[in-house]
Amino acid sequence: EPEVTQTPSHQVTQMGQEVILRCVPISNHLYFYWYRQILGQKVEFLVSFYNNEISEKSEIFDDQFSVERPDGSNFTLKIRSTKLEDSAMYFCAGLQGAGGYTFGSGTRLTVV
Amino acid sequence: AQTVTQSQPEMSVQEAETVTLSCTYDTSESDYYLFWYKQPPSRQMILVIRQEAYKQQNATENRFSVNFQKAAKSFSLKISDSQLGDAAMYFCAGDSGAGSYQLTFGKGTKLSVIP
């Protein structure tokens, strides 16, 4: 079964550094998403991406965050200057059709 | 869904018994999808079952079934013949039914299975 691939699986970064989380969605996905899950909390929507632009974003997705799909394949989430509170699991997901979500296995980001 | 509520932070069940996890939601849409996801300690999100709001028949997947009450905005998950491998966090989620179809998740229910 096709998968959504996320790299790296775990990243440790210094506070204030920039990080880029990478995702390779399934090729026929229409929408792409980033979600965040702080340890012990629920999964929260960050941003959706459709037709090469941001479709919707939550209040969490402030100016520190950006997304790109530069080559039609990779879908990236950039955090410009990481804070301690950015430590979380970040999930990429794709939507093929109605209800057809596929989640990646996640990137665990630790900011120290 | 705009909001998803899981009122049971923790549940436990004896191996081979049946357990029901509760979920309520709120939405102004008429057609949408609802989901149950399992999250083991690896923190991977594993789809357990999904239900389209337009379908009156409750979804089933092997030992997993839902009780979908659209008017009451209730979507409970029943796990039959519970196995040790069922122990995990379970999240209920609903899509927005419009726009970019993003998911809203509940806070989760931690299920323990007692041997």
Side-chain angles (χ1 to χ4, degrees):
Chain A
E1 190 174 319
E3 290 185 346
V4 173
T5 305
Q6 286 187 245
T7 56
S9 56
H10 186 200
Q11 178 147 5
V12 181
T13 189
Q14 293 267 346
M15 191 169 57
Q17 294 295 305
E18 175 184 284
V19 294
I20 297 176
L21 310 183
R22 291 184 167 81
C23 170
V24 180
I26 298 168
S27 58
N28 61 354
H29 279 165
L30 301 174
Y31 284 88
F32 310 101
Y33 308 86
W34 283 101
Y35 290 85
R36 179 183 83 174
Q37 185 185 30
I38 295 171
L39 185 63
Q41 298 188 22
K42 67 178 179 180
V43 179
E44 299 172 292
F45 167 72
L46 290 178
V47 65
S48 60
F49 197 80
Y50 174 75
N51 207 24
N52 283 322
E53 61 183 23
I54 290 175
S55 174
E56 290 192 49
K57 58 183 181 179
S58 71
E59 60 274 11
I60 302 169
F61 194 87
D62 60 22
D63 292 344
Q64 290 285 79
F65 292 90
S66 62
V67 289
E68 271 192 325
R69 194 163 180 245
D71 56 8
S73 170
N74 293 286
F75 179 49
T76 62
L77 174 69
K78 184 194 293 186
I79 309 174
R80 246 177 286 282
S81 177
T82 49
K83 307 184 196 94
L84 294 177
E85 54 264 37
D86 293 326
S87 294
M89 195 79 166
Y90 289 82
F91 292 101
C92 173
L95 178 64
Q96 179 181 5
Y101 292 90
T102 304
F103 275 82
S105 54
T107 293
R108 184 157 69 107
L109 177 65
T110 303
V111 182
V112 297
Chain B
Q2 281 90 23
T3 60
V4 176
T5 303
Q6 293 180 251
S7 58
Q8 305 153 316
E10 294 187 28
M11 292 279 285
S12 62
V13 62
Q14 292 277 351
E15 196 176 1
E17 296 296 305
T18 296
V19 65
T20 298
L21 309 183
S22 302
C23 173
T24 58
Y25 62 93
D26 192 24
T27 183
S28 55
E29 298 294 329
S30 59
D31 196 18
Y32 47 88
Y33 278 84
L34 297 165
F35 305 83
W36 279 97
Y37 282 93
K38 173 184 178 181
Q39 189 178 49
S42 67
R43 299 186 71 184
Q44 192 172 354
M45 296 296 288
I46 301 167
L47 177 66
V48 175
I49 198 164
R50 70 179 183 186
Q51 172 85 40
E52 184 179 4
Y54 245 84
K55 292 185 178 175
Q56 294 188 343
Q57 188 172 7
N58 289 323
T60 61
E61 286 287 341
N62 301 312
R63 298 182 295 109
F64 299 88
S65 62
V66 298
N67 183 4
F68 173 49
Q69 303 288 329
K70 191 173 183 179
K73 295 193 171 84
S74 169
F75 182 61
S76 61
L77 174 70
K78 185 169 87 171
I79 306 173
S80 303
D81 185 27
S82 297
Q83 300 175 359
L84 295 177
D86 295 334
M89 282 291 288
Y90 285 82
F91 290 96
C92 178
D95 75 6
S96 60
S100 64
Y101 305 99
Q102 71 268 23
L103 297 177
T104 299
F105 286 82
K107 291 185 176 181
T109 297
K110 183 177 180 182
L111 178 67
S112 301
V113 180
I114 303 163

